[in-house]
Amino acid sequence: MNELVKLTPKDFATDQEVRWCPGCGDYAVLKAVQRTMPELGVRPENIVFVSGIGCSSRFPYYMETYGFHTIHGRAPAIATGVKLANPELDVWIITGDGDALSIGGNHTMHVLRRNLDCQILLFNNEIYGLTKGQYSPTSRVGTRSPSTPFGSVDRPVSPSAFALGSGARFVARGIDVNKNLPDVLKAAHSHKGASFVEIFQNCIVYNDDVFAPFTAKEFAADKQLWLKAGEPMLFANGAKGLTLDRESLRVKVVDVVDGEWQSAGVIVHEPANKMIAHMLVDMPFGAFPMALGVIYEHPAPSFEDAVVEQNAQASTGKVPDLQALVSRGQSWEVTKEPHVI
């Protein structure tokens, strides 16, 4: 394909039949990713999608790029190998709340703290959809499922709080059907290092409308806080905002009259402020809106850059000699024909 040819979303769609349950939020995420790809300036042959196990992990089949459908929870390990083998590749990890935070929790933590340059899209539907509706690490207390018919008593994990606690340098949130999702994906891609994006994704069969209290059109204005760097944290069409209570050191909701957000003490979003980021992801929903968009971004050197530099330093002034390497230490050479009995 000629470099001058402008790519379109169709260039990133395969001939494979997309097979999710009718109405699944995964369709919307797939379309958002395919719409975003042409704007990133990366050729399909330089992109790799790596997934684990789950409904979302079918993703590589539907992207006209390189891809690996790996094993449960281990996508970060495979992606790390891909990036170290060829740091020029654009690596995306597709995972779900069960895949990434249960069996894959350890791998997710380490790829974040190492800061591998990749984009991690975690589809959070608060349920195990592929294995017929068992409760997942993000399922809420009281969730009824085939594995918890009387209601789950587990306390759920917050994916974004987990990412922050693991040392992630970029944490964002999006919604499967929201028009802002491509902007979040582009911001994640432009970040150098591990970008963690939690996507609220509806499972129409086993956990339908679990996010409706803030995703439904009639609630969106009052219950969604879309964050933008350098802009005040306003929602409810600018009638409300977040301020920092100096005494309790907690965020609280304030009313904004006639657009005078400064006099109301509304906070201006600074993505590098990790203390505020922790508060934003931990806000109890109901009393507070859902924080969305880029919540935290504070770039740091990436893992693969450090490995490449270390290898270069270790090999400086040395001449490659495979024979000398294999002959070193306890080794011997057979010089005569073996005696046959």
Side-chain angles (χ1 to χ4, degrees), residues 74-111:
R74 273 62 176 185
I78 303 299
T80 299
V82 170
K83 192 68 176 181
L84 290 180
N86 188 348
E88 299 304 314
L89 292 176
D90 194 13
V91 177
W92 296 72
I93 297 175
I94 305 295
T95 186
D97 46 304
D99 185 56
L101 299 175
S102 185
I103 191 171
N106 191 50
H107 293 278
T108 303
M109 175 183 70
H110 291 304
V111 77

Side-chain angles (χ1 to χ4, degrees), residues 114-295:
R114 285 172 173 155
N115 201 33
L116 183 80
D117 187 24
C118 64
Q119 293 72 238
I120 304 165
L121 308 187
L122 186 147
F123 294 34
N124 181 14
N125 56 21
E126 297 189 1
I127 208 75
Y128 278 104
L130 185 67
T131 48
K132 306 302 181 281
Q134 294 89 339
Y135 78 103
S136 82
T138 59
S139 297
R140 304 173 196 187
V141 173
T143 297
R144 294 182 181 273
S145 71
S147 58
T148 56
F150 302 110
S152 172
V153 297
D154 272 8
R155 294 178 58 192
V157 63
S158 162
S160 292
F162 174 90
L164 282 171
S166 298
R169 312 294 298 201
F170 180 102
V171 177
R173 280 176 174 160
I175 299 170
D176 51 9
V177 296
N178 194 281
K179 65 180 181 180
N180 293 333
L181 182 55
D183 291 334
V184 176
L185 298 175
K186 283 183 276 189
H189 183 265
S190 66
H191 175 83
K192 174 67 173 178
S195 300
F196 182 89
V197 181
E198 176 186 2
I199 301 174
F200 296 108
Q201 177 260 322
N202 190 47
C203 177
I204 196 169
V205 175
Y206 297 110
N207 213 15
D208 192 25
D209 285 340
V210 68
F211 303 122
F214 69 89
T215 60
K217 188 176 296 185
E218 62 267 30
F219 305 129
D222 292 332
K223 296 300 181 181
Q224 294 180 16
L225 169 61
W226 283 94
L227 301 162
K228 292 185 178 180
E231 296 188 12
M233 298 185 187
L234 297 171
F235 62 101
N237 297 317
K240 294 182 181 295
L242 292 186
T243 189
L244 181 63
D245 189 320
R246 303 296 175 179
E247 294 183 2
S248 65
L249 293 181
R250 296 177 182 175
V251 290
K252 67 177 183 179
V253 176
V254 293
D255 294 322
V256 177
V257 180
D258 297 329
E260 296 294 331
W261 60 268
Q262 294 98 329
S263 59
V266 174
I267 308 169
V268 171
H269 184 41
E270 299 177 14
N273 190 324
K274 195 171 187 178
M275 181 185 76
I276 297 296
H278 275 288
M279 294 181 185
L280 291 171
V281 300
D282 284 335
M283 291 189 302
F285 182 74
F288 293 89
M290 182 62 67
L292 299 159
V294 179
I295 297 170

